[in-house]
Amino acid sequence: MAGKLLQPGSNVSMQQLIKSDRSTFMASDDNVMLKQIQATHNPDGRNINVKPILNLVEDILSRATLTVDSIIPGIVHGQTQSVEDKAQQASAITLLDALSFIIDRISCEIAYKCLGGEDGHQTTISLLNMLSNYSWDAKLVLTLAAFALHYGEFWLLAQISSSNQLAKAMANLKQLPFIMEHSGPLKPKFDALNNLIRAMLDLTSCIVAFKELPSAYVAHDVPALVAAANTIPTAVYWTMRGVVACAAQISSLTSMGHEYGTSTMEAWELSTLAHKINNIDEHLMKQLNICNQLIEEKRNKESYEALLHIFEMIHIDNMKILKALINPRDDQLPLFDGSSKRRVNLDILRRKNVLLLISSLNISPDELSILEQIYNESRQHATRLDNLYEVVWIPIVDRSVQQRIDPIVDRSVQQQTDPIVDRSVQQRTYPIVDRSVQQWTDPMQKQFESLQSTMPWYTVHHPSQIDRAVIRFVKERWHFRNKPILVVLDPQGRVVSPNAIHMMWIWGSNAFPFTSLREEILWKEETWKLELLVNEVHALLDVLLGKGDLIDVSNITWNFSFYQIRDEKYIFVYGGDDIDWIRRFTATARSVAQSAQIPLEMVYVGKSSKKEQVRKIITTITNEKLSHTWQDPMIWFFWTRLESMLFSKIQLGRIDDQDPTMQEIKKLLSYDKSGGWAVLSRGSAVVVNGHGTKVTPTLLEYDLWKEYIATKGFDRSFKDHYDMLRGTEHPCCRFEFLSMAGTGRIPDSMKCPECLRAMEKYITFCCCHDENPSTAAFY
């Protein structure tokens, strides 16, 4: 209760009461001041684009505001870059023709009131009355322009007085040589001035950005805009109050001498103002970013809907589609030619089959190496029609870490030589302000350039050319997540395959022209045989052995060949991560082969995951001479191809449970998830595709079925005994699909390839430290 005496033992301290009373007084005082500020505001409806003048002011203050320690006689300081481009200069000059009088009046008013010792509040209210007919942003920019005239002249004389006689004489009149001689004691004051000027420029840019928000996207009743409108009058007042304080400090220095500048009270006042202005700026920035988010959402929605419409239209060529996907940005050449290492226009893709390679910056060297091999192979054997197909890399980068080509305000950047802003690095010409956005970093740029330099096909010049709407389209319509996809456009820009990467992995260049129709035709020609599993891997090995540096040839002790398959050798292709099972399996298989007197080869093809463990197993197999082995990237490619076979069928909508080839592929993919497995073939014909829990017992029970070999042969005898064990050891199959695979990528239902019953869906949480989950490959 007001006026009530505190009793002994009261829980409320005297300090808390004083603080509470002070807060109440300050809140009341602020309300009174706000009414006084608003009473000065009587705009006449004139609409002034103050941005060109603000750019000029920022440039003046960035060149004028220097640390005192850096002023060395005989050196002209400041930046050498141009102020703004010619268009902005012309716009500023045109505006200044009409506004120079009011700017001079403000400058004179500030100088007069500062020298007269008038209170800063009264001077600020006087300026607001003088500018009553202008909008809030115009009041602020015109006041800053008046200050820039005075402050810029001060530092211009300081910079050139040692090399220009006229400047030297004027500097003497303003006592600048004496001020500079005592730069040490003055440093706290000039540091405080620099901080306050930076805060005023930041807040002014923010307020101007609000004025530039498009009304078509942000209604006046948006809460963030309403909150900002209520704060802006106070923000303008305190920024103009800061201008008055800065002008007073400089005027006092030149009129009263350097002794005045050694007082710490003035530096404290400047710092207090800077702190208050920064707090207001932080609040307004939050509201501005909310508004910008609304604008971005609406613009992205419009762009996305326009993109959908473009893809629904019929076109005479592919140019409109490509320009919608790859923003050419005015006259820039949007593509980089990997073969000639120069930038080119989109027209080079006109009326061609275009394969859009869409990926993040984390595309693996294995993937690139194989794609390059397929691409070069198709070029070497190209016909006239084949030359009409081109590949274009579309890098998808998270826009939360991407620097936009559009000029954008980022005040988190601290410059070494300029305590306010480096105009050569930043341009405050874009109304969307987001200081929280991480910039496109040098490591990211180097990673992009490194990838770009290795690609023999076309790439976009920079990831920023891919708009947000395109990224959304790619993710929602083409189901891109993390793994590369290959979208195929025909010469008219129609999508003829939503993802041809599976065709690439399965059939290589034989899949040209990489359409869904071609994919179906190729599947009709396939049967379950050894060549389906190993042919393209065999071709990859030939390429890698030729390159030498991509693979350790000493570890490749055996490879499939035409002669081995033609001669109908028995071949065990096996995998898994249990070295004890591998030892038992290989020893038993070798013993059975010797007893049955059959030619047997065995090759270990690893596992789709656990790469480090697989490498250790390969070393053990090699050292103990258990069998032949493959290694990366052959192992990676083997499993990627198998997964692609499943995903290709899913994409075509042909995942038929009666398809024997797909049943066997699904078995292998399921076996890979637990334990060991083996595929036994005689030449190209697959005898058994089974899990280790049944293959090994079949071999161990050789004595039970060896008597049938004479009449039925080894392969039939082996299979018959294996089938007797079927269902007694190994549990049914399981498949894992990432939950973010996207609609249309996960089948609604699947049947177990072992028991043919409908499989149940589960949610699984997996942790993969050194690799991506293998099942992510179907994106």
Side-chain angles (χ1 to χ4, degrees):
M1 180 181 297
K4 184 177 181 179
L5 295 176
L6 291 175
Q7 300 297 325
S10 171
N11 292 328
V12 182
S13 67
M14 180 65 71
Q15 290 81 1
Q16 290 174 323
L17 182 61
I18 292 174
K19 183 177 180 181
S20 175
D21 287 346
R22 183 179 299 165
S23 299
T24 303
F25 171 76
M26 290 178 65
S28 175
D29 191 50
D30 284 345
N31 290 331
V32 172
M33 187 179 69
L34 179 60
K35 291 179 180 179
Q36 189 176 7
I37 294 168
Q38 290 175 331
T40 67
H41 190 53
N42 185 29
D44 57 10
R46 73 183 76 184
N47 186 20
I48 302 173
N49 178 20
V50 295
K51 196 61 175 288
I53 298 179
L54 177 59
N55 290 337
L56 193 62
V57 169
E58 287 180 322
D59 191 74
I60 291 171
L61 295 179
S62 68
R63 297 171 190 272
T65 308
L66 302 170
T67 56
V68 176
D69 293 343
S70 67
I71 299 180
I72 302 174
I75 298 179
V76 178
H77 296 269
Q79 301 167 356
T80 60
Q81 289 78 10
S82 60
V83 177
E84 296 291 347
D85 59 35
K86 293 182 179 179
Q88 289 179 326
Q89 287 185 2
S91 179
I93 291 171
T94 302
L95 278 171
L96 290 172
D97 284 341
L99 298 173
S100 58
F101 175 73
I102 188 65
I103 292 174
D104 284 337
R105 276 193 63 196
I106 297 169
S107 181
C108 293
E109 180 77 4
I110 292 174
Y112 174 74
K113 294 296 177 71
C114 288
L115 290 174
E118 185 174 274
D119 174 70
H121 170 71
Q122 294 301 325
T123 302
T124 305
I125 295 297
S126 175
L127 293 175
L128 286 170
N129 283 317
M130 184 184 299
L131 297 167
S132 62
N133 297 134
Y134 293 89
S135 60
W136 291 112
D137 63 314
K139 298 178 199 287
L140 200 49
V141 173
L142 292 174
T143 303
L144 276 173
F147 171 69
L149 282 176
H150 182 53
Y151 195 64
E153 178 189 14
F154 176 88
W155 282 108
L156 177 64
L157 294 177
Q159 290 177 17
I160 68 173
S161 59
S162 61
S163 59
N164 185 289
Q165 285 300 116
L166 176 59
K168 183 177 181 179
M170 293 182 65
N172 286 331
L173 281 177
K174 290 181 176 289
Q175 304 185 67
L176 286 182
F178 301 102
I179 294 173
M180 295 302 106
E181 285 178 7
H182 299 81
S183 60
L186 290 174
K187 188 178 187 303
K189 174 168 290 188
F190 278 104
D191 288 343
L193 271 171
N194 291 339
N195 292 331
L196 178 54
I197 291 171
R198 183 189 300 115
M200 293 189 302
L201 287 175
D202 284 352
L203 183 53
T204 302
S205 294
C206 182
I207 291 172
V208 171
F210 271 107
K211 181 67 176 295
E212 295 180 337
L213 292 177
S215 58
Y217 295 96
V218 182
H220 292 295
D221 58 352
V222 169
L225 201 57
V226 173
N230 293 332
T231 306
I232 283 176
T234 305
V236 170
Y237 167 83
W238 283 109
T239 306
M240 292 174 67
R241 180 84 174 261
V243 168
V244 171
C246 291
Q249 297 298 313
I250 297 300
S251 296
S252 299
L253 275 176
T254 56
S255 62
M256 300 174 63
H258 67 274
E259 294 86 355
Y260 169 80
T262 59
S263 172
T264 58
M265 181 60 68
E266 288 76 17
W268 179 85
E269 179 188 0
L270 297 177
S271 298
T272 302
L273 281 170
H275 179 71
K276 186 173 188 68
I277 290 172
N278 280 328
N279 286 340
I280 297 173
D281 180 52
E282 182 179 352
H283 169 70
L284 284 179
M285 279 299 305
K286 290 179 181 178
Q287 311 310 316
L288 182 59
N289 286 331
I290 293 173
C291 293
N292 287 329
Q293 185 177 357
L294 293 174
I295 293 171
E296 285 293 293
E297 289 174 356
K298 291 182 179 180
R299 283 178 172 167
N300 288 338
K301 183 179 179 181
E302 287 182 358
S303 299
Y304 181 74
E305 290 174 350
L307 197 58
L308 291 177
H309 180 65
I310 289 174
F311 272 89
E312 292 171 354
M313 296 170 60
I314 298 175
H315 306 281
I316 59 173
D317 60 28
N318 54 7
M319 281 295 96
K320 195 165 186 178
I321 292 290
L322 291 175
K323 287 180 180 178
L325 294 172
I326 305 171
N327 191 344
R329 299 201 178 274
D330 301 328
D331 296 329
Q332 290 189 25
L333 301 174
L335 296 180
F336 179 79
D337 186 348
S339 59
S340 65
K341 306 302 179 184
R342 61 185 180 87
R343 294 179 63 179
V344 295
N345 198 281
L346 277 175
D347 284 336
I348 203 164
L349 303 175
R350 188 184 297 273
R351 294 192 179 90
K352 291 185 178 182
N353 294 288
V354 177
L355 278 59
L356 302 175
L357 174 59
I358 301 172
S359 78
S360 67
L361 296 184
N362 295 321
I363 184 171
S364 75
D366 291 341
E367 290 169 316
L368 278 180
S369 176
I370 297 170
L371 280 172
E372 182 181 354
Q373 180 246 324
I374 296 171
Y375 177 83
N376 291 334
E377 180 182 312
S378 68
R379 284 297 187 267
Q380 291 170 3
H381 305 289
T383 66
R384 185 179 64 85
L385 291 178
D386 292 341
N387 280 327
L388 295 179
Y389 114 75
E390 298 291 351
V391 177
V392 180
W393 180 40
I394 308 291
I396 302 297
V397 179
D398 184 357
R399 294 304 292 265
S400 66
V401 296
Q402 182 173 340
Q403 184 185 37
R404 301 174 61 173
I405 283 182
D406 304 290
I408 188 167
V409 179
D410 181 6
R411 296 168 191 134
S412 65
V413 177
Q414 299 295 324
Q415 302 299 325
Q416 294 293 327
T417 58
D418 182 354
I420 296 182
V421 62
D422 184 354
R423 299 293 297 167
S424 67
V425 175
Q426 300 176 80
Q427 292 179 310
R428 295 181 184 155
T429 58
Y430 195 66
I432 294 180
V433 182
D434 187 358
R435 297 172 198 161
S436 65
V437 173
Q438 180 184 348
Q439 295 297 300
W440 175 261
T441 62
D442 287 340
M444 293 171 68
Q445 179 67 23
K446 289 178 181 178
Q447 184 182 9
F448 167 72
E449 291 175 352
S450 175
L451 285 170
Q452 189 182 55
S453 66
T454 62
M455 296 181 179
W457 43 76
Y458 295 106
T459 68
V460 298
H461 171 61
H462 194 273
S464 58
Q465 292 172 239
I466 309 303
D467 290 335
R468 292 174 185 264
V470 175
I471 295 175
R472 178 187 171 188
F473 182 88
V474 165
K475 290 182 176 181
E476 293 186 8
R477 290 307 175 106
W478 293 340
H479 307 289
F480 170 77
R481 293 299 182 269
N482 297 317
K483 299 294 289 183
I485 64 174
L486 202 64
V487 179
V488 183
L489 305 178
D490 72 4
Q492 285 73 46
R494 293 172 298 192
V495 177
V496 291
S497 175
N499 188 8
I501 199 85
H502 309 312
M503 278 189 279
M504 282 278 196
W505 296 153
I506 301 169
W507 297 289
S509 59
N510 290 330
F512 180 85
F514 309 109
T515 64
S516 297
L517 179 60
R518 176 62 176 162
E519 194 170 10
E520 294 204 39
I521 292 172
L522 288 169
W523 270 122
K524 290 178 181 179
E525 298 172 354
E526 291 291 355
T527 58
W528 177 237
K529 56 187 177 181
L530 188 62
E531 286 93 330
L532 177 62
L533 294 179
V534 302
N535 261 8
E536 288 300 319
V537 184
H538 179 208
L540 170 66
L541 178 61
D542 291 339
V543 173
L544 297 179
L545 290 175
K547 291 187 176 182
D549 58 336
L550 295 179
I551 195 167
D552 184 359
V553 180
S554 62
N555 279 349
I556 304 298
T557 56
W558 182 87
N559 185 40
F560 294 98
S561 72
F562 170 75
Y563 299 103
Q564 288 165 328
I565 295 176
R566 185 195 65 179
D567 294 343
E568 295 193 339
K569 283 187 176 183
Y570 286 92
I571 301 171
F572 261 127
V573 179
Y574 74 97
D577 59 355
D578 185 343
I579 189 61
D580 292 331
W581 175 84
I582 291 172
R583 288 189 178 107
R584 289 196 305 272
F585 163 72
T586 54
T588 306
R590 188 175 292 108
S591 174
V592 168
Q594 290 174 354
S595 177
Q597 296 182 343
I598 60 170
L600 177 67
E601 299 283 1
M602 292 182 289
V603 59
Y604 175 71
V605 297
K607 188 177 176 68
S608 64
S609 59
K610 301 183 179 180
K611 290 184 178 180
E612 287 302 322
Q613 188 171 348
V614 168
R615 291 189 184 103
K616 293 177 181 178
I617 290 173
I618 290 173
T619 302
T620 301
I621 292 173
T622 303
N623 292 339
E624 298 180 13
K625 299 180 179 180
L626 302 179
S627 74
H628 304 293
T629 64
W630 280 354
Q631 66 176 74
D632 273 341
M634 294 175 62
I635 291 176
W636 170 85
F637 190 38
F638 174 82
W639 288 106
T640 298
R641 286 187 72 251
L642 275 180
E643 291 156 359
S644 292
M645 293 175 194
L646 174 62
F647 306 142
S648 171
K649 284 286 190 175
I650 293 174
Q651 182 171 274
L652 290 173
R654 301 286 193 273
I655 186 165
D656 187 358
D657 291 317
Q658 304 304 317
D659 182 344
T661 298
M662 287 311 302
Q663 293 298 91
E664 297 300 326
I665 289 170
K666 287 192 287 185
K667 286 181 186 178
L668 267 182
L669 291 172
S670 178
Y671 295 159
D672 177 54
K673 302 305 175 188
S674 59
W677 58 269
V679 172
L680 174 64
S681 71
R682 183 180 184 185
S684 64
V686 175
V687 178
V688 164
N689 171 22
H691 194 269
T693 54
K694 288 181 287 186
V695 173
T696 304
T698 301
L699 293 170
L700 289 171
E701 295 175 4
Y702 171 68
D703 290 339
L704 297 179
W705 53 270
K706 66 181 179 180
E707 62 184 274
Y708 302 108
I709 295 177
T711 56
K712 294 193 295 186
F714 180 87
D715 45 347
R716 183 56 186 269
S717 301
F718 182 95
K719 186 178 187 319
D720 286 348
H721 195 79
Y722 173 86
D723 289 341
M724 287 175 56
L725 300 175
R726 187 177 182 84
T728 62
E729 298 286 343
H730 180 59
C732 289
C733 299
R734 68 188 180 101
F735 298 93
E736 294 173 357
F737 297 91
L738 292 184
S739 60
M740 59 182 180
T743 305
R745 293 297 192 222
I746 301 177
D748 294 330
S749 63
M750 290 182 69
K751 288 185 178 180
C752 174
E754 292 282 1
C755 68
L756 300 182
R757 294 179 182 176
M759 303 179 74
E760 294 184 359
K761 289 185 179 180
Y762 289 86
I763 296 175
T764 303
F765 293 90
C766 298
C767 181
C768 300
H769 294 286
D770 63 338
E771 57 204 276
N772 292 324
S774 61
T775 48
F778 73 98
Y779 290 159

